[in-house]
Amino acid sequence: MNKLVAWWNHRTGLDETMHDALYENIPSGARWRYVSGSMLVFAFVTQVITGIFLWMSYSPSSQTAWESVYFIQYEMTGGWLLRGIHHFMAQAMVVLLGVHLLQVVVDGAYKAPREVNYWLGLILMQIVLGLSLTGYLLPWDQKGYWATNVATNLMTLVPFVGKELQQVVLGGSAYGHHTLTRFFALHAGVLPILLVIFLGMHIALFRRHGITAKVTPGRPDQYFWPQQVLLDALACLFLLVLVVLATVHFDVQGLVSGNLPLEHRGAELGAPADPSEQYSAARPEWYFLFLFQLLKYFHGESEWIGALAIPGAIMGILFLLPFFGRTKIGHAFSVLFILGLLAGAGVLTVLAWSEDNFTLVAERLKLNTEDPAVQKKLSIAEDFAVAKEEAERDSARMIELVNRRATMAGGELSDRLLIPKQGAVYLLRNDPLTQGPKLFDRHCASCHDYYDPNATEGEQQRWHFANQTQSPQTVAGKNEVLRDDKGNVVYDTKANGAPNLFGFASRQWLADLLNPAMYQKVEYGEPVPSKDAEIARQKNHPDNFTRPIKAPYFGNTAHRDGRMAAWLDKHIDKLDPQDVKDAVAALSAQAQLRSQLALDKQDAAQIARGVQVIKQNCATGCHRFGDAGQLGLAPDLTGYGSYEWMLGMISDPQHERFYQNENDRMPCFAKDLDHPEKNSVSVRELGLIVDWLRGDYYDPADEHPVLPHSEEYARRAVELARTVDAPSLAITGSATPAMPTKAEQAAAIFTQKCAACHSHVDSAGHGIAAKKPSAPNLHGFGSRAWLSGFLDHERIGTAEFFGNTAHADGDMVSFVQDELSDLDDENQASLAALVAALSAEAALPAQQQLDAEAKESGLLEKGREAIVSGLGGSACTDCHKFGDEGEEDAPDLTGYASQAWLTAFLSNPAAPRFYGQNNDRMPAFHKPENGERNLLTAEQVELLSSWLRGDLKD
Amino acid sequence: MAPRSLNPKASDNISQRLAGQNSPQPRRRGILVGMLAFVVGIFVGIFPLGAGLLTFFDPILKKKEEGGGEDDSAGGQLLRVGLLENIPADGTPVQAPVIANLTDAWNREPNQPIGAVYLRREGDKVVAFNAICPHAGCFIGFDTRRDCFQCPCHMSSFNLDGSRQMPSPSPRDLDMLVVEEDILAKTGEVWVRFQNFYPGTADREPKA
Ligand code: FES
């Protein structure tokens, strides 16, 4: 054995090297105060070891950096411990550097002959700081990204080469893959190699000059081995224990019990970097905070002083210290300088911290919160706190998202879906829970509220949007509020808000909506004085009287006095309350809200009853509901509140399934699916908002969790929502409806295209009512009843016929009113015959019998005669054409109201055969030359005529 | 003791030479050889370093090569950022993402957020600001309590019109972007010439 050792030593000289290393003489013996250097070496070695293992799992690129760190942190065995040690040892290293430097200066170890070694030490310090700066970016989380962003931006302030410097460091003009590859190469390659080289020289010079000993007379010299080595080892052990404790966030209990919570496992990992995502909690690592704080004090163009000049000057002075150290006074200066430096950095760090936690500070110091400067800091600190909270939430959310599972067909859960190729940021950008509220805030919250109305005061709500306000009226021409006789401010009563969408389409929401008091409810808050102190002082300035207003449903919209409100007032009380409840449950079931799925299932019978109630009460005049009712007057209730319905509504509220032209200020957010670039919000984003509103986002606690809808799915949903008569418009909770019959299709066409002006209601008031009747009621058009009414001098001028048309002052109306008013019996009889004859032209199916009888009895003959020869003074053929006779000044009466006549008339009422020049606003529904742009197809016109003539039976 | 060759089998001659007793070459030649060795040594060392430095400085070298960078960026990229109707009429600014093609080294992806702007309405006109702070590049927020733009980093505040609230760490006002007024008037769409600027200077200089 001994021989072997001797051979080894002879060949390698190891014994001599060991001897040289260990038998360094220490005057007055080993001391604790000599341990800091060894500790630094130990820290560095730890970083190298842990770093190399991290390297084995790390992948630098903007698509994989965060992802690989995530994997280390949460998936790999002991990964968090490895990363934690690396992270906290880095911090320990910076602290130790400070201590070491302080010691070197105070003990005078920087003085001759050790100047060079001191300078080497300063270079080593720069390298370590460079290591921590580059390391901060590598996880590619929001915090590292934005903090490093500031540092690299400051680089551009370097004179002459600043911008080039930045580009070389970033590997381009913006952050990206090459920023990471470069930072990583610096962090794991260049800087450590430099550090090893300089550390080697540092130690070599240290050995050359020996230790700067504190000599105590009488205390014997010792060799480095074994006493000092033991002290060093113990110190390193202490450091390691401390770092490990920091790694478990001093949660010894959790560590021992073996279930350490995630947030106590090593270094934190924020949400993945996203350059388009505002991040207001960006702060550098704590030991750089003083530099960060320093930047606040240099204003405008002097920024470079704080960013470069002062740190540069400090480093310069540090380099010069050995020259000062030659004299006693100089040494005193050096010591003061280093102490001052540390104290200054400490004060700046405390200031930075206190400004970020200013709420606390202001409270403690009882600062005057009226002071604008204090207010500013408070406001910034509040935002900072919110941002930090959000950052923590986002990073916790990322863990949930990476571990999301899909519900498979059988109801079982899939394997974890992990991170897609596009990267983790893709998951977060498409998470309704994260993005929904932000997008709602951006696009909806200026009109819509979102808050839980049942939350008690003071209860923290995660989302609270309530921005509706009401402005005072102003005195004409003056910037002054208008006051009434009693001196009260008069407010603008224009509707300017929209419903609270919290729980939209839920049972609670709908039950309140159907309550007339709630439907129109408005609550006013106290006026809020202007934030501008100058304006706030002016008693009558309008800016001081804007008051918050809470209108949970339609109280602050144009619909507050609309048909729905009127209907509620009139009818809701008369309905059986149980019916209303059923209807609410049924309508709410259409939304298929996840929060109500169980309830919907359980109340299936109630819902089935409710479906009937809706059909009987809502789908008779205004709404459509599945196969009942028609579109055109009010939003379609089919699929109400469902994903498709909401996307359809938001993307284009003016679509015929929704509000059409009664839409009240709601923008069409994504009308044009073929040109997505024209839309103000992308369908993807609308989908995120809808998913969030409906609670359709991944929740790991769910038994059957859902994943966000894809962009493609959202697009298809919009398309589906815009399909007017898709067979898929099934009612949840009722049997599948059949395809609409021809009569239903025709009625739908009438509602959409005609009912703006024409009604189609029978004498009992049943049917489709016009929104603003401005043309004749077409029910029974061409029938004897209709014609007798038309030719009745008392009725032709009413809204039922020509009352609201341009024809009201025309020849026809004056003819009927003048010539047909006082008819003798004989003329009465001729008029009746005329009506019968004209009506027979229509050949209406309902009059078949009557027409045949009339022909038999010669009534037709008589009537035709009357048309040509006239009643009273003039004949129809004076203006109209009838068969071969007559003029073309008014519509042709030949075949009047027959299928062919009606089809031709609807197709183009302004044709010379019909109204010609005299046509009053009636559109041409189908002209062959219009091709695609026709309002109706030829088949639809045919269908509509048949229906008007009563040819189609339900 | 004179130095000895470490090779025990070395001839005496070598040992003697090492001892400098019998220098076989004239001194002048020694200097020449030394210089040559030095030059060759430097060259073989520098060459790989140079090859590396070429790629290292690629970001600046390539830009010079292409040369066109400056002209392209002079006007900024014309991008659509929103619709007039969606900007509150009362002058409250809204934040809008800027969507464009994103090139990151070897990746190119369409329709990615590449930045953000604040849009503010002034009558029928729209004012657009880059959301990046001109001080050191943090992402600016809008403080609804104080009705001003607030940088979360070093306390720079900006008024609604983008001007600084003095004293301010920021060397200049918010970076206003050109809004294409013709398009706005005709279509109601807000198109801006999107540009990023170097932070930290009083005069703004577009980033390449
Ligand atoms: S980056 Fe905005 S104040 Fe510094």
Side-chain angles (χ1 to χ4, degrees), chain A residues 493-517:
Chain A
T493 51
K494 239 181 17 231
N496 60 359
N500 175 7
L501 294 182
F502 180 89
F504 176 73
S506 67
R507 290 189 188 182
Q508 176 70 51
W509 197 90
L510 285 168
D512 283 348
L513 177 78
L514 292 182
N515 174 350

Side-chain angles (χ1 to χ4, degrees), chain B residues 12-80:
Chain B
D12 282 352
N13 192 5
I14 291 173
S15 291
Q16 275 168 14
R17 246 190 274 158
L18 278 168
Q21 284 163 349
N22 182 14
S23 173
Q25 288 164 355
R27 206 177 155 72
R28 215 167 6 115
R29 215 164 130 211
I31 291 176
L32 262 179
V33 172
M35 270 167 62
L36 194 63
F38 183 75
V39 168
V40 172
I42 290 285
F43 177 77
V44 296
I46 284 281
F47 191 84
L49 183 67
L53 285 179
L54 277 181
T55 26
F56 185 66
F57 288 117
D58 167 77
I60 36 181
L61 295 176
K62 196 187 261 154
K63 207 184 74 194
K64 289 234 176 78
E65 216 173 274
E66 284 170 357
E70 212 96 316
D71 297 15
D72 294 348
S73 61
Q77 213 179 341
L78 187 60
L79 294 169
R80 181 180 176 283

Side-chain angles (χ1 to χ4, degrees), chain A residues 62 149 153 163 173 177 182 276 278 283 292 299-300 303 376 379-380 382-383 429 442 531 677-678 680, chain B residues 55-56 80 83 86 95 104 107 113 135-137 141 143-145 150 152-153 155 157 168-169 200 205:
Chain A
S62 44
N149 181 46
N153 271 327
K163 290 172 191 110
S173 52
H177 294 316
R182 282 172 187 236
S276 63
Q278 183 176 348
R283 292 291 179 264
F292 166 86
H299 293 153
E303 184 179 344
K376 170 173 172 175
S379 183
I380 295 174
E382 269 169 48
D383 283 347
R429 277 187 193 159
R442 193 174 297 163
K531 287 164 212 160
E677 73 282 359
K678 291 225 170 88
S680 56
Chain B
T55 26
F56 185 66
R80 181 180 176 283
L83 291 177
N86 293 348
Q95 199 196 94
D104 178 2
N107 283 135
H135 178 238
D143 186 337
T144 45
R145 276 153 296 198
Q150 180 59 52
C153 286
M155 301 253 164
S157 312
S168 171
E205 189 185 325

Side-chain angles (χ1 to χ4, degrees), chain A residues 150 292 295 303, chain B residues 132-140 150-158 168-170:
Chain A
V150 170
F292 166 86
L295 287 176
E303 184 179 344
Chain B
I132 294 299
C133 181
H135 178 238
C138 287
F139 199 127
I140 287 191
Q150 180 59 52
C151 182
C153 286
H154 314 103
M155 301 253 164
S156 292
S157 312
F158 304 87
S168 171
S170 176

Side-chain angles (χ1 to χ4, degrees), chain A residues 633 661 750-759 769-774:
Chain A
L633 294 182
N661 31 25
F750 185 87
T751 315
Q752 289 154 24
K753 307 291 179 189
C754 317
C757 308
H758 291 281
S759 291
K771 289 176 196 166
K772 293 192 193 83
S774 61

Side-chain angles (χ1 to χ4, degrees), chain A residues 62-63 65-67 70 139-146 269-277 279 391 394-399 401-402 419 422-429:
Chain A
S62 44
Q63 265 157 11
W66 188 91
E67 290 73 3
Y70 175 90
W140 202 246
D141 57 357
Q142 280 282 69
K143 185 170 155 178
Y145 179 93
W146 286 102
L269 177 64
D274 187 343
S276 63
E277 198 60 65
Y279 186 72
D394 282 354
S395 69
R397 180 67 179 162
M398 274 315 302
I399 301 175
L401 289 178
V402 174
I419 302 171
Q422 298 100 314
V425 75
Y426 175 86
L427 283 180
L428 205 58
R429 277 187 193 159

Side-chain angles (χ1 to χ4, degrees), chain A residues 155-169:
Chain A
M155 262 178 208
T156 61
L157 297 179
V158 172
F160 309 117
V161 294
K163 290 172 191 110
E164 284 71 21
L165 184 67
Q166 190 205 27
Q167 287 186 0
V168 167
V169 168

